[in-house]
C-alpha cells in the first residue's frame, strides 16, 4: 500500500519526504486556504519536494470548467493528478480527462456505488472518506472493503485511496481492507512510528550500553 500525506504544509511535506517512506501527496482547497499562501507558489514547492503523484483539486461545478482546470493542473507537472468531486458533472469531466491521458482522483466518496461510477468514468484513484463517514455513525472501513470487492470482481483498475484518515487504527484497517493507497495528515503519519514499548525498550538498551567498554567498531559514534 502506498503512503501519501494529506496537506499543503510544505515543511510537513519536506519532513515526511525525508523519512523515505512517502509516495505522494493529496491536497484540497481547505489545505490551500489553511496554508495562507499563494496557490501557485505552494504547488511549485510541493512538486519540487516530492517525486510521486500529487493530487490538486478542481473547484468548478460545470464539466467544461472542471476539464479546463484539470488540463491546467496536468500541464503544471508530470506528477499532477486532478482531484474531482464525485457528481454527474465531475464524472463527465473525469471521462474527458481520462480520454486525454490525464490522471484523476475522484474525491468525497461516501458510498460503494459512487466508487463504481468513478471507475466506469475511468478514474485513476477513488478517495473514500473513512473518518468523516465514521463521524456520521457509518462504517468507513467497510466502504473500502466493499469497493475492493467490486473492483476485483469486475476488473476495474481504479486505485482505492483511503482518505480522511485520523487514527493509526484506520491506517491498519485500510491495509487489511486492501486499499492501494492511504493518505493522512502529518501527525497521524508520525504517530505510526510510535509505541510506548519501543520507547521503554530503546531506553533500556541505551542505558545498558553505557556499561559496555568503548569499541573500535563504533568508536565515539555511540551515545554514552
Ligand atoms: O483527501 C481527503 C482529505 O483531503 C480530506 O480529509 O481529513 O479533511 O476529512 P479530512
Amino acid at each position: 500500500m502506498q503512503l501519501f500525506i494529506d496537506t499543503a504544509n510544505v515543511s510537513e511535506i519536506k519532513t515526511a519526504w525525508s523519512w523515505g517512506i512517502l509516495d505522494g501527496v493529496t491536497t484540497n482547497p481547505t489545505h490551500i486556504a489553511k496554508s495562507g499562501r499563494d496557490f501557485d507558489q505552494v504547488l511549485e514547492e510541493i512538486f519540487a519536494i516530492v517525486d510521486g503523484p500529487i493530487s490538486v483539486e478542481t473547484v468548478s461545478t460545470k464539466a467544461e470548467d472542471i476539464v479546463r482546470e484539470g488540463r491546467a493542473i496536468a500541464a503544471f507537472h508530470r506528477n499532477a493528478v486532478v482531484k474531482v468531486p464525485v457528481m454527474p458533472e465531475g464524472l463527465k469531466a473525469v471521462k474527458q480527462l481520462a480520454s486525454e491521458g490525464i490522471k484523476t482522483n475522484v474525491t468525497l466518496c461516501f458510498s460503494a456505488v459512487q466508487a463504481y461510477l468513478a471507475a466506469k468514468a475511468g478514474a485513476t484513484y477513488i478517495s473514500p472518506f473513512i473518518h468523516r463517514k465514521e463521524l456520521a455513525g457509518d462504517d468507513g472501513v467497510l466502504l473500502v472493503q466493499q469497493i475492493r470487492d467490486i473492483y476485483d470482481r469486475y476488473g476495474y483498475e481504479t486505485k482505492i485511496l483511503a482518505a480522511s484518515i485520523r487514527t493509526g487504527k484506520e491506517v491498519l484497517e485500510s491495509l487489511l481492507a486492501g486499499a492501494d493507497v492511504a493518505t493522512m495528515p502529518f501527525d497521524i503519519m508520525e504517530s505510526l512510528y510510535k509505541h510506548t514499548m519501543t520507547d521503554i525498550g530503546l531506553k533500556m538498551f541505551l542505558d545498558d550500553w553505557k556499561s559496555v567498554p568503548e569499541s573500535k567498531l563504533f568508536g565515539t559514534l555511540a551515545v554514552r
Side-chain angles (χ1 to χ4, degrees):
M1 183 177 79
Q2 289 202 310
L3 197 58
F4 289 4
I5 191 165
D6 191 40
T7 183
N9 180 314
V10 169
S11 83
E12 288 181 349
I13 294 171
K14 228 181 249 171
T15 305
W17 181 250
S18 76
W19 292 338
I21 42 87
L22 190 66
D23 298 297
V25 181
T26 50
T27 65
N28 65 33
T30 305
H31 294 325
I32 303 292
K34 240 198 223 163
S35 78
R37 302 187 53 212
D38 178 74
F39 180 42
D40 301 359
Q41 183 58 41
V42 172
L43 289 190
E44 286 276 359
E45 291 176 27
I46 297 175
F47 280 95
I49 299 165
V50 174
D51 187 17
I54 296 168
S55 289
V56 181
E57 194 155 339
T58 54
V59 287
S60 290
T61 50
K62 288 255 175 0
E64 64 201 68
D65 299 330
I66 297 171
V67 168
R68 201 169 27 82
E69 288 173 0
R71 286 180 185 141
I73 292 167
F76 193 81
H77 196 279
R78 65 184 162 83
N79 284 336
V81 177
V82 181
K83 212 169 169 187
V84 182
V86 60
M87 54 185 179
E89 290 292 301
L91 295 190
K92 214 196 281 184
V94 165
K95 179 143 195 165
Q96 178 57 36
L97 292 168
S99 76
E100 297 175 22
I102 294 174
K103 291 190 172 137
T104 56
N105 172 0
V106 172
T107 189
L108 286 166
C109 170
F110 288 90
S111 82
V113 284
Q114 287 178 323
Y116 156 64
L117 296 178
K120 272 192 79 66
T124 315
Y125 299 94
I126 182 72
S127 287
F129 272 38
I130 296 184
H131 198 78
R132 290 198 202 187
K133 200 164 159 68
E134 300 273 344
L135 286 175
D138 221 335
D139 193 332
V141 175
L142 178 64
L143 173 59
V144 176
Q145 282 165 5
Q146 288 175 337
I147 301 172
R148 181 77 282 152
D149 285 351
I150 292 166
Y151 284 3
D152 288 351
R153 178 176 303 202
Y154 293 97
Y156 290 119
E157 283 176 10
T158 302
K159 290 188 163 65
I160 304 173
L161 197 169
S164 180
I165 284 179
R166 306 269 172 78
T167 68
K169 187 162 172 262
E170 287 166 353
V171 178
L172 171 64
E173 289 172 342
S174 299
L175 278 159
L176 296 174
D180 298 293
V181 190
T183 190
M184 66 205 67
F186 178 83
D187 58 329
I188 301 302
M189 193 175 289
E190 192 178 34
S191 78
L192 300 183
Y193 285 91
K194 294 184 183 155
H195 197 287
T196 327
M197 296 301 287
T198 305
D199 297 341
I200 294 171
L202 179 62
K203 188 178 174 333
M204 199 187 287
F205 287 156
L206 294 181
D207 284 348
D208 289 346
W209 181 252
K210 286 178 187 153
S211 66
V212 177
E214 224 164 71
S215 71
K216 274 197 211 115
L217 186 68
F218 283 175
T220 52
L221 281 179
V223 188
R224 295 221 162 240

